Amino acid sequence: QLSDQQKMSESPLSRFRGVYLPPELHPLNKSLVKAGKWKDVDSTQEKRRSFLHDFCKKYNSRKKLRTHLVHLVSRIYVEDRHKVLYCEVPKAGCSNWKRVLMVLNGLAASAHNISHDDVHYGKHLRKLDSYDLKEIYTRLNTYTKAIFVRDPMERLVSAFRDKFEHPNSYYHPVFGKAIIKKYRHNANEEALKTGSGVKFKEFIQYLLDSHRPVGMDIHWEQVSKLCYPCLINYDFIGKFETLEEDANYFLQLVGAPAELKFPNFKDRHSSDERTSAEVVRQYLKELSKEERQLTYDFYYLDYLMFNYTSP
């Protein structure tokens, strides 16, 4: 029994260290879904949900995942009008998802005329960790929680191409310089000064290094560490590979306006070929067999949780 004084001095957050959310799988409310055309998408959705649920029951190592509730929900965006929680996974359609959330929230009339900067730097959307603990719990227990994922290698290569193969005023000086300095022997002054021209192999050396010269980044962090899918019961699991279909079904589920459809345009570098399995294969050729295996091992949990085939 804690004395009243101890209770008063105890941080409210400390009581939530190592909190675990209910592991039951709740049935999806499909009352707003119209037309029978969603039958196949719905069937796929149920398979994904039960697969993840079974995986978490079997493999969930709770000791490894002890963390504050506030940290668990730090990547989750809130849309109060339609009671939606969306966990952001970069390079898996997140820019267009944020556009859709802005439209649902009444912040924009259409997803098509919201700029990239407005989406990512506009501070229009609230994250779940900005609410107090009671409000966080209420939303987690009553809102429809969605996560959209992508084949881990495709997501990784897509992030590399986006951040290192195009001019970038943040990733080149912050990550590029550190990567070139540590992993490129005989690097010239220009490369060391600008951080531009990082090679995929150098990027992978950084990724696999337990003593990285610069920390991790959300664009290549594992989904298991961004969204904690075994601790938060996501009601909906979308995949980048079936993005439009999944997203439009989800919009029906939450009662979005009928005219709102998920945008299918490429957010940036629209002239570039999309990162496909074939594009990934070309990049993986630059790595040794051991590096390929270690990269797969790095994303092992993501492969397992979302039932992706190993490359």
Side-chain angles (χ1 to χ4, degrees):
Q1 294 294 313
L2 289 175
S3 71
D4 287 346
Q5 196 174 357
Q6 278 176 303
K7 281 180 188 166
M8 291 289 284
S9 65
E10 188 185 16
S11 147
L13 288 183
S14 66
R15 276 176 266 153
F16 290 89
R17 185 182 290 282
V19 71
Y20 298 108
L21 302 170
E24 317 82 67
L25 194 60
H26 298 297
L28 260 179
N29 176 7
K30 298 167 190 173
S31 59
L32 297 170
V33 176
K34 296 169 183 68
K37 69 169 186 172
W38 301 108
K39 202 174 153 194
D40 290 348
V41 189
D42 177 62
S43 163
T44 301
Q45 189 53 227
E46 291 303 342
K47 283 177 191 151
R48 285 177 192 164
R49 277 160 42 89
S50 58
F51 184 91
L52 177 61
H53 183 254
D54 292 347
F55 167 83
C56 292
K57 255 192 350 197
K58 195 172 168 186
Y59 293 99
N60 192 3
S61 169
R62 295 187 156 194
K63 278 180 185 155
K64 287 181 190 165
L65 288 163
R66 285 189 173 270
T67 185
H68 280 313
L69 176 66
V70 172
H71 178 70
L72 289 184
V73 301
S74 63
R75 306 289 339 147
I76 296 180
Y77 284 88
V78 179
E79 198 286 287
D80 282 316
R81 282 185 175 188
H82 298 80
K83 300 193 170 179
V84 169
L85 296 180
Y86 162 71
C87 189
E88 176 187 29
V89 175
K91 311 314 296 175
C94 72
S95 300
N96 281 337
W97 258 117
K98 287 197 222 172
R99 288 184 171 94
V100 166
L101 292 179
M102 285 170 72
V103 174
L104 286 174
N105 228 333
L107 298 166
S110 159
H112 288 269
N113 49 18
I114 308 170
S115 74
H116 178 87
D117 284 359
D118 233 14
V119 166
H120 292 286
Y121 311 114
K123 310 282 184 213
H124 302 293
L125 299 166
R126 276 188 81 174
K127 285 187 182 167
L128 194 50
D129 63 353
S130 70
Y131 293 83
D132 68 32
L133 288 169
K134 185 168 179 259
E135 290 175 312
I136 291 174
Y137 259 125
T138 302
R139 282 167 176 77
L140 280 173
N141 289 322
T142 58
Y143 283 22
T144 307
K145 301 175 288 296
I147 181 173
F148 276 72
V149 298
R150 184 177 187 175
D151 174 274
M153 287 296 185
E154 270 189 35
R155 189 176 152 245
L156 177 69
V157 171
S158 175
F160 172 77
R161 293 174 76 201
D162 181 26
K163 303 306 176 194
F164 296 103
E165 291 186 351
H166 295 273
N168 192 297
S169 60
Y170 172 71
Y171 284 90
H172 292 198
V174 174
F175 287 87
K177 278 160 85 166
I179 289 171
I180 289 168
K181 187 179 176 186
K182 182 159 186 184
Y183 307 107
R184 185 178 299 177
H185 305 298
N186 309 319
N188 64 37
E189 260 184 71
E190 179 68 10
L192 289 167
K193 197 173 98 182
T194 64
S196 297
V198 169
K199 296 180 173 69
F200 186 62
K201 190 181 178 75
E202 294 165 341
F203 173 64
I204 295 301
Q205 286 175 305
Y206 143 79
L207 185 79
L208 301 175
D209 188 349
S210 56
H211 303 287
R212 290 185 198 99
V214 58
M216 276 297 281
D217 182 85
I218 59 167
H219 291 85
W220 46 86
E221 181 67 276
Q222 300 104 316
V223 177
S224 53
K225 289 185 180 172
L226 288 172
C227 296
Y228 297 96
C230 281
L231 296 181
I232 294 172
N233 287 331
Y234 288 96
D235 303 295
F236 193 92
I237 300 155
K239 290 195 171 182
F240 187 81
E241 294 75 13
T242 49
L243 179 57
E244 269 185 82
E245 205 176 32
D246 290 349
N248 288 323
Y249 177 52
F250 180 77
L251 289 173
Q252 284 249 317
L253 279 173
V254 298
E259 67 278 6
L260 178 60
K261 298 284 180 281
F262 191 80
N264 63 1
F265 58 83
K266 197 170 187 290
D267 189 50
R268 290 202 302 171
H269 317 309
S270 52
S271 60
D272 285 8
E273 182 188 352
R274 272 198 190 274
T275 303
S276 61
E278 186 46 49
V279 169
V280 169
R281 203 169 288 125
Q282 297 308 316
Y283 279 82
L284 292 183
K285 279 181 184 171
E286 297 174 31
L287 308 180
S288 68
K289 195 176 176 186
E290 187 191 17
E291 285 168 331
R292 288 199 294 267
Q293 181 62 49
L294 289 170
T295 308
Y296 168 71
D297 294 345
F298 186 83
Y299 291 105
Y300 181 60
L301 262 187
D302 287 0
Y303 273 101
L304 286 184
M305 281 180 170
F306 301 108
N307 202 15
Y308 278 111
T309 311
S310 57

